[in-house]
């Protein structure tokens, strides 16, 4: 049996999964740390790495039990090695290296951004997707908002990225400004359900690279709408109102408007990229793709252009280890024998950094 064990610990989810050579997910275990970070309003790196340390082995054991396989049936080990919080990455990567070394198994050091990008292939027929290339790729997560031109699952070229916040990060901050609890993105979506998305209009930023994103203007507009225009600047700024002054219906209107503004920018960049690159398919991934409004817009957009939309189930959009194992399975199928155990964990993605254009494997 061909079983890839995947491990993911880049931020605040400790996860293990087992994916077979046909991209069928036999186990997917995720231990979230929402409760540990809620009182701080965001992820505390120290707390995250300690929790990973406590949970990593129980989570791997739970994945083996869920898949009904023993450790001796695992044929390779994959881990999300970059990007992420370095203390968190070290826990998962050292556990994966130790397992691979002790059982003399191939080791795959997977880029988390690439794993998000191809998570839509899990549970699908890989051969049937052979005609998907050239494709466009979009990752919208808490750490990244990037557009790629894709020639194959191991050849992606970065063609656009956020110049400030990622969409997920901006949604989290917007939720915080509105007085909504952590985790911000899902709570913003919940609150937006009851609001009027036309209540506040956001313009789309014009940037030197028309495929780049910028969310800071949206955040500032929302902040001023909630708290009023500040008197003074920087640390000395004072506001006349606070989120406590919002009525529930105004809060919902602002949440819905912000969500619409952020999604409109994503769709706008996709449209420009499709005009430039004439893709056959669009791969999307990242935590924000679990947002139902964004999913609906992506479906309508791709249907209208007859572009094949390859979108993961919501549970494979947010951080998980099945996508890590899945990308390693794709690499293996293309003849990649794996990485050296000395491959270091790194805080930055090799796929989504640097000066454009950038071609990376
Ligand atoms: O991919 P992910 O789990 O972690 C990173 O790699 O960053 O993405 C997490 C991000 C967070 O910012 C979270 O608020 C956002 O995805 N998110 C959502 C939703 N679910 C998660 N944003 C909007 N609507 C959602 N339903
Ligand atoms: Zn992620």
């Amino acid at each position: 049996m061909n079983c890839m064990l995947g491990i993911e610990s880049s931020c605040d989810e400790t996860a293990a999964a087992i994916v077979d050579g046909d991209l069928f997910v036999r186990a997917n275990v995720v231990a979230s740390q929402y409760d540990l970070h809620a009182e701080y309003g965001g992820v505390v790196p120290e707390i995250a790495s300690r929790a990973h340390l406590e949970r990593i082995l129980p989570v791997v054991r739970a994945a083996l039990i869920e898949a009904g396989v023993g450790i001796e049936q695992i044929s390779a080990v994959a881990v999300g090695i970059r990007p992420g919080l370095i203390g968190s990455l070290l826990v998962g990567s050292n556990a994966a290296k130790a397992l691979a070394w002790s059982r003399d198994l191939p080791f795959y050091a997977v880029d988390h951004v690439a794993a998000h990008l191809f998570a839509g292939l899990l549970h699908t027929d890989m051969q049937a997707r052979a005609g998907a290339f050239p494709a466009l790729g979009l990752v919208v997560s808490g750490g990244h908002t990037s557009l790629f031109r894709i020639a194959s699952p191991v050849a992606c070229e970065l063609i656009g990225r956020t110049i400030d916040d990622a969409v997920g990060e901006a949604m989290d901050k917007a939720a915080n400004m509105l007085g909504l609890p952590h985790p911000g993105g899902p709570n913003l979506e919940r609150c937006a359900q009851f609001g009027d998305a036309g209540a506040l209009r956001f313009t789309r930023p014009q940037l030197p690279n028309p495929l780049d994103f910028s969310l800071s203007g949206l955040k500032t507009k929302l902040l001023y709408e909630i708290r009023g225009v500040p008197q003074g600047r920087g640390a000395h700024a004072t506001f006349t109102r606070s989120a406590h002054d919002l009525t529930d219906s105004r809060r919902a209107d602002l949440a819905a408007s912000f969500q619409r503004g952020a999604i409109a920018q994503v769709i706008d960049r996709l449209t420009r990229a499709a005009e430039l690159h004439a893709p056959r398919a669009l791969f999307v991934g990242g935590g924000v793709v679990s947002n139902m409004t964004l999913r609906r817009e992506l479906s309508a957009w791709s249907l209208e252009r007859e572009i094949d939309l390859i979108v993961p189930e919501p549970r494979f959009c947010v951080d998980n280890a099945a996508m890590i194992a899945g990308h390693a399975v794709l690499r293996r199928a293309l003849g990649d024998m794996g990485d050296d155990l000395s491959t270091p964990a790194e805080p930055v993605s090799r796929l989504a950094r640097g000066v454009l254009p950038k071609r990376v494997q």
Side-chain angles (χ1 to χ4, degrees):
M1 197 185 334
N2 191 353
C3 282
M4 179 73 70
L5 169 66
I7 291 178
E8 155 63 32
S9 70
S10 65
C11 188
D12 58 343
E13 256 93 34
T14 320
I18 293 169
V19 176
D20 71 18
D22 294 324
L23 290 175
F24 182 77
V25 181
R26 299 178 58 108
N28 182 47
V29 178
V30 182
S32 290
Q33 302 177 8
Y34 284 153
D35 48 334
L36 299 182
H37 303 282
E39 69 174 290
Y40 305 100
V43 178
V44 183
E46 272 284 304
I47 295 176
S49 40
R50 277 166 207 238
H52 286 308
L53 211 51
E54 285 164 12
R55 296 168 186 204
I56 191 80
L57 290 180
V59 161
V60 169
R61 255 184 235 120
L64 291 169
I65 292 169
E66 190 175 307
V69 298
I71 190 77
E72 64 289 344
Q73 285 164 281
I74 297 298
S75 46
V77 182
V79 69
I81 200 105
R82 75 183 94 81
L85 301 170
I86 194 70
S88 292
L89 288 167
L90 283 171
V91 177
S93 61
N94 284 330
K97 286 175 182 179
L99 270 170
W101 176 78
S102 61
R103 303 209 57 86
D104 198 18
L105 295 173
F107 169 73
Y108 289 83
V110 172
D111 193 294
H112 181 98
V113 176
H116 270 309
L117 209 44
F118 296 104
L121 291 176
L122 293 168
H123 285 308
T124 69
D125 178 357
M126 226 190 304
Q127 298 307 325
R129 300 292 195 183
F133 304 101
L136 278 180
L138 168 74
V139 172
V140 248
S141 70
H144 293 86
T145 295
S146 307
L147 266 175
F148 299 93
R149 188 164 60 170
I150 305 175
S152 86
V154 292
C156 303
E157 182 187 351
L158 181 67
I159 54 172
R161 45 108 169 84
T162 179
I163 60 164
D164 39 56
D165 283 7
V167 171
E169 185 184 1
M171 294 239 189
D172 292 338
K173 289 177 181 166
N176 191 276
M177 285 183 220
L178 287 164
L180 298 169
H182 176 79
N187 284 323
L188 188 86
E189 175 175 27
R190 222 162 283 137
C191 180
Q193 277 176 340
F194 308 103
D196 168 13
L200 184 65
R201 303 231 168 242
F202 294 92
T203 49
R204 276 168 228 161
Q206 302 298 326
L207 302 170
N209 174 3
L211 302 182
D212 277 351
F213 300 77
S214 171
L215 278 301
S216 63
L218 274 77
K219 272 189 328 187
T220 307
K221 180 156 183 166
L222 180 69
L223 179 72
Y224 289 3
E225 192 60 33
I226 298 169
R227 305 190 63 186
V229 178
Q231 305 289 313
R233 307 192 70 178
H236 303 293
T238 53
F239 291 90
T240 50
R241 304 191 294 269
S242 84
H244 296 297
D245 300 320
L246 293 172
T247 61
D248 286 349
S249 94
R250 184 66 182 158
R251 183 176 286 109
D253 286 352
L254 295 182
S257 301
F258 189 88
Q259 180 176 273
R260 176 189 271 182
I263 291 175
Q265 193 176 140
V266 170
I267 298 294
D268 178 66
R269 273 36 179 181
L270 272 179
T271 305
R272 295 176 188 196
E275 282 163 12
L276 288 171
H277 299 294
R280 291 195 191 146
L282 169 65
F283 288 82
V284 294
V288 184
V289 180
S290 57
N291 181 291
M292 287 301 157
T293 309
L294 176 59
R295 292 175 83 86
R296 272 197 303 275
E297 298 252 348
L298 288 170
S299 297
W301 183 89
S302 43
L303 201 66
E304 193 183 314
R305 288 164 183 79
E306 295 182 359
I307 291 172
D308 189 10
L309 178 66
I310 303 173
V311 56
E313 293 170 36
R315 68 190 172 124
F316 299 136
C317 291
V318 286
D319 284 351
N320 66 88
M323 67 179 192
I324 301 290
H327 195 248
V329 168
L330 290 170
R331 283 173 50 186
R332 212 169 189 212
L334 291 168
D336 182 337
M337 306 301 283
D339 297 300
D340 199 272
L341 287 176
S342 63
T343 310
E346 292 172 330
V348 182
S349 169
R350 291 189 188 168
L351 203 67
R353 91 175 150 207
V355 182
L356 301 171
K358 190 165 181 69
R359 193 180 169 83
V360 247
Q361 296 226 331

